[in-house]
Amino acid sequence: MDTIVLATNNKGKIREFAELLKPLGVEVKPLSDFPEIGDIVEDGETFRDNALIKARTVCKATGLVAVADDSGLEVDHLGGAPGVYSARFAGDGHDDHANNEKLLKELDGVPDEKRTARYRCIMAAVAPNGEEITTEGSYEGRIGYEYRGEGGFGYDVIFVDPELGRHVAEISAELKHSRSHRGKAIRRMLEIWPGFWEKARK
């Protein structure tokens, strides 16, 4: 079976990726299988920059096709923040709860119509021979006022899906995959994967 490396140590992402990448029929190895790579500095200015930085670094280190994503939350009232800083919005070393607390504080008193936001995801696949592809997906919603649900990760406890009228952390993983930014980006990657894989193996 062919092998690809998933360039992330985020357990939530690993769980989602493993499920969504099943149709590829490849063995998926997590970044933790290659501890010698160490931390990857994500210093790009955009999600696309960071996704490619991770995929290129892991591909070069392992000699295998690497798939990476960079994703985050864009809040319109905050000019698109936290954006590429979503995972460290509250500062380095802080967790999801701290990020959520900071965001709710910054939106304190802001009405529904100005709490619009979206999750955005860029996925990148890089092959040792230099072949690269990227895809994008977004998930429109708004920021709620309180925590709801126990599923998902990141900002899911405060991110509201307006069509469902529920926080993302309240919906099943299967339903989330069908609607989320990451699910859309992966499905688009699956559509172009055969052409990429054929070139990647040359």
Side-chain angles (χ1 to χ4, degrees), residues 90-108:
D92 290 334
H94 288 75
D95 60 10
D96 289 345
H97 179 73
N99 290 333
N100 284 314
E101 286 292 297
K102 180 178 180 180
L103 182 56
L104 288 178
K105 184 176 181 180
E106 294 206 8
L107 293 179
D108 186 38

Side-chain angles (χ1 to χ4, degrees), residues 82-138:
V84 294
Y85 302 104
S86 293
R88 51 190 187 277
F89 188 43
D92 290 334
H94 288 75
D95 60 10
D96 289 345
H97 179 73
N99 290 333
N100 284 314
E101 286 292 297
K102 180 178 180 180
L103 182 56
L104 288 178
K105 184 176 181 180
E106 294 206 8
L107 293 179
D108 186 38
V110 176
D112 267 2
E113 64 270 17
K114 294 185 178 180
R115 298 174 77 94
T116 53
R118 73 203 47 78
Y119 275 128
R120 190 178 302 280
C121 172
I122 301 291
M123 286 198 66
V126 174
N129 67 358
E131 286 294 328
E132 297 181 350
I133 54 172
T134 60
T135 59
E136 179 176 353
S138 62

